[in-house]
Amino acid sequence: MHHFAVNRQGKLCCEEYPLEEIARQMGTPVYVYSHATLERHFKVFDEAFSSIPHIVCYSMKANSNGSVVRTFARLGSGADIVSGGELARAIAAGVSPKKIVYSGVGKSVPEIEEALRRGILMFNVESREELERINVIARRMRKRAPISIRVNPDVDPKTHPYISTGLKKNKFGINIRQAVEDYEWAARQPGLEVVGVDCHIGSQLTELSPFVDAAKRVRRLVDKLLAKGMPIRYVDIGGGLGIRYNDESPPSPKEYAKVVASVFQGLDITLILEPGRVLVANAGALVAEVLYTKKASPDSGKKERWFFIVDAAMNDLARPAMYGSYHAILPVGKAPARRVTADVVGPICESSDFLAKDRVLPLFKAGDLLAVMGAGAYGFSMSSNYNSRPRAAEVMVSGNRCEVVRERETIRDIFRKERVASFIKGSGVKR
Ligand code: LLP
């Protein structure tokens, strides 16, 4: 469910605001987020878990724009962070440190120190060496670091290999069988306080069974740790619930919550959830303008094919290039009736620079606008300056209001941090 729809004049709108209008005011490419969709998604997800004590810790990597994070924080969300940058953003957006969980295989010393200073809820620790390092740092700071171990349950999430994390061969977490020993070690360290167990098996899961398998394995570990007298208060089952980009039929948050909550029935724990995509993906669209169209050279006997070259590219939305992901393409204005098979591609010099492949689309012409749907998650947050392209603007819509939530980058922004090495001839010449 989202708030992008065609109005009576045939124009695609975000809530009540025509995307055409946004493109006119802001230029393209531009990310457009619906505030109502964000709120609705958070509430639906949160309410699905109402039968059990829980904290929804929004996984900021999906979309770390301050207005997005603040929207969730105001509804009571915590944050799942993976860097010092996300910690700073979460706090700036009003997330309580007591609701921040810190995941990731490579936390640096300054990042650990800052998280300890802020008093976060817990570190989701991914290796024995990380446990040791956190212990040393916490002792030096005369603190006890609340920790859970991210266990790797060796469950196949049946999703794209690049976004599977819960298999033995993945770099994430500590093998669930090895974990008891590491917990026992951690429990003896003066700088560590064992508070929870954590697990995250992958992203864009469209079936319930991997979640259930992983949850059951985690439950067995929790029972074992409790029997050993460890005060496990939090069970973090990560994120990963998939959405519908095309023809997937992922479980609803309600179905997901029901099976997960039932596994932890009877335990005196607070469940932690780390949803990212399911909260933001369908709340965002990337609006682009068609720069050129051209016919592809015909394969013998095959139907005609077109390229629609747009001003958004893989630096703006990397998902199709990285994972071959599907994003629906919708016309923003009145679409021409004739439909053709086409690839929607960007200006970047790579053949993987496409936003859509082999789609039946209206025969767009230069100057037409189109919307790349489902772009609210892992869209802007994965964008880059590749090919020295300034990153897109981001706007948020609420009803009939539309505001800029991140200005478009300028060309100047792109090389602001660069210096010319003094040993290069002519380096003294002013630009
Ligand atoms: N928790 C942890 C520890 C994670 O690593 C992730 C995602 C999440 C939560 C949130 O997962 P979600 O609910 O969004 O599925 N760039 C890829 C997705 C990478 C996901 C990385 N980890 C994509 O565009 O599909």
Side-chain angles (χ1 to χ4, degrees):
M1 174 20 201
H2 60 71
H3 295 77
F4 289 87
V6 177
N7 71 5
R8 270 183 298 232
Q9 287 79 46
K11 296 187 191 300
L12 184 60
C13 295
C14 175
E15 303 192 23
E16 293 157 39
Y17 217 95
L19 296 183
E20 204 174 77
E21 194 62 30
I22 295 173
R24 207 171 50 76
Q25 290 165 9
M26 296 298 308
T28 50
V30 56
Y31 274 97
V32 182
Y33 307 127
S34 157
H35 187 252
T37 309
L38 295 171
E39 286 202 325
R40 189 192 134 83
H41 284 180
F42 185 88
K43 286 180 187 158
V44 166
F45 194 92
D46 193 36
E47 277 160 23
F49 284 92
S50 56
S51 71
I52 184 165
H54 69 280
I55 308 174
V56 177
C57 293
Y58 167 58
S59 189
M60 287 180 59
K61 60 178 82 65
N63 186 326
S64 52
N65 182 280
S67 293
V68 172
V69 182
R70 186 170 289 272
T71 298
F72 295 143
R74 289 189 66 84
L75 297 171
S77 184
D80 158 46
I81 61 162
V82 289
S83 69
E86 286 188 353
L87 175 60
R89 277 179 174 282
I91 287 168
V95 178
S96 159
K98 280 278 137 255
K99 290 185 182 172
I100 294 179
V101 295
Y102 191 171
S103 316
V105 292
K107 304 174 188 82
S108 71
V109 173
E111 286 176 326
I112 294 168
E113 287 170 347
E114 181 60 10
L116 276 170
R117 259 194 299 275
R118 293 289 186 174
I120 63 165
L121 177 62
M122 67 184 184
F123 291 86
N124 290 336
V125 181
E126 307 227 13
S127 64
R128 174 69 170 256
E129 285 191 14
E130 187 191 333
L131 274 178
E132 291 168 5
R133 182 163 295 175
I134 295 175
N135 180 39
V136 169
I137 297 171
R139 289 187 69 179
R140 178 161 37 77
M141 293 173 71
R142 300 185 193 292
K143 288 187 187 287
R144 286 189 83 193
I147 62 109
S148 74
I149 289 181
R150 174 169 177 182
V151 294
N152 184 326
D154 196 22
V155 167
D156 185 356
K158 300 180 194 145
T159 181
H160 191 285
Y162 289 5
I163 52 177
S164 296
T165 53
L167 284 167
K168 258 204 304 232
K169 64 178 180 192
N170 299 132
K171 69 176 176 182
F172 299 97
I174 291 178
N175 185 302
I176 197 159
R177 272 183 282 273
Q178 166 70 35
V180 177
E181 199 185 311
D182 288 332
Y183 268 109
E184 285 175 331
W185 182 86
R188 292 194 298 270
Q189 307 312 309
L192 302 179
E193 183 191 3
V194 170
V195 297
V197 176
D198 169 51
C199 164
H200 169 82
I201 55 171
S203 197
Q204 182 56 12
L205 272 70
T206 53
E207 290 175 36
L208 281 177
S209 60
F211 285 121
V212 177
D213 291 350
K216 283 184 175 157
R217 289 178 198 191
V218 168
R219 166 80 202 237
R220 279 199 290 276
L221 175 64
V222 172
D223 288 341
K224 226 183 260 174
L225 296 173
L226 287 171
K228 287 179 183 290
M230 279 187 225
I232 303 298
R233 283 180 277 143
Y234 298 104
V235 175
D236 182 342
I237 52 139
L241 184 58
I243 67 141
R244 184 185 175 115
Y245 285 105
N246 183 13
D247 52 6
E248 304 90 336
S249 41
S252 68
K254 231 189 175 132
E255 293 165 318
Y256 166 70
K258 197 169 152 208
V259 297
V260 169
S262 76
V263 174
F264 298 101
Q265 214 92 70
L267 284 178
D268 186 16
I269 52 112
T270 298
L271 202 57
I272 293 184
L273 299 316
E274 301 175 354
R277 187 189 316 268
V278 70
L279 299 186
V280 291
N282 286 336
L286 173 63
V287 179
E289 183 181 318
V290 178
L291 297 173
Y292 303 100
T293 69
K294 65 176 172 183
K295 259 193 200 172
S297 330
D299 292 340
S300 55
K302 290 253 174 75
K303 272 208 314 242
E304 71 171 24
R305 291 193 43 210
W306 287 76
F307 289 113
F308 298 141
I309 301 148
V310 300
D311 60 0
M314 66 189 280
N315 74 300
D316 300 300
L317 180 66
R319 303 192 70 256
M322 272 182 85
Y323 322 109
S325 340
Y326 179 100
H327 288 266
I329 304 286
L330 297 181
V332 163
K334 239 181 148 28
R338 185 170 162 215
R339 292 169 82 78
V340 295
T341 301
D343 290 359
V344 178
V345 302
I348 283 182
C349 303
E350 304 244 7
S351 293
S352 62
D353 181 26
F354 63 90
L355 298 174
K357 245 194 161 70
D358 274 328
R359 299 287 178 79
V360 177
L361 292 170
L363 178 54
F364 290 112
K365 58 181 188 317
D368 284 348
L369 295 168
L370 53 81
V372 185
M373 305 306 292
Y378 306 107
F380 188 89
S381 66
M382 288 175 71
S383 66
S384 76
N385 292 124
Y386 188 37
N387 278 205
S388 290
R389 289 167 51 84
R391 271 178 293 187
E394 295 174 284
V395 303
M396 190 176 283
V397 172
S398 176
N400 59 8
R401 296 170 62 184
C402 173
E403 288 183 24
V404 177
V405 293
R406 192 179 200 271
E407 283 175 31
R408 181 179 307 287
E409 280 180 351
T410 63
I411 289 182
R412 188 82 208 152
D413 290 332
I414 289 181
F415 55 95
R416 197 188 296 281
K417 297 277 189 195
E418 268 181 39
R419 302 284 176 271
V420 179
S422 62
F423 47 75
I424 298 172
K425 269 205 187 124
S427 64
V429 175
K430 283 233 157 42
R431 278 195 285 247

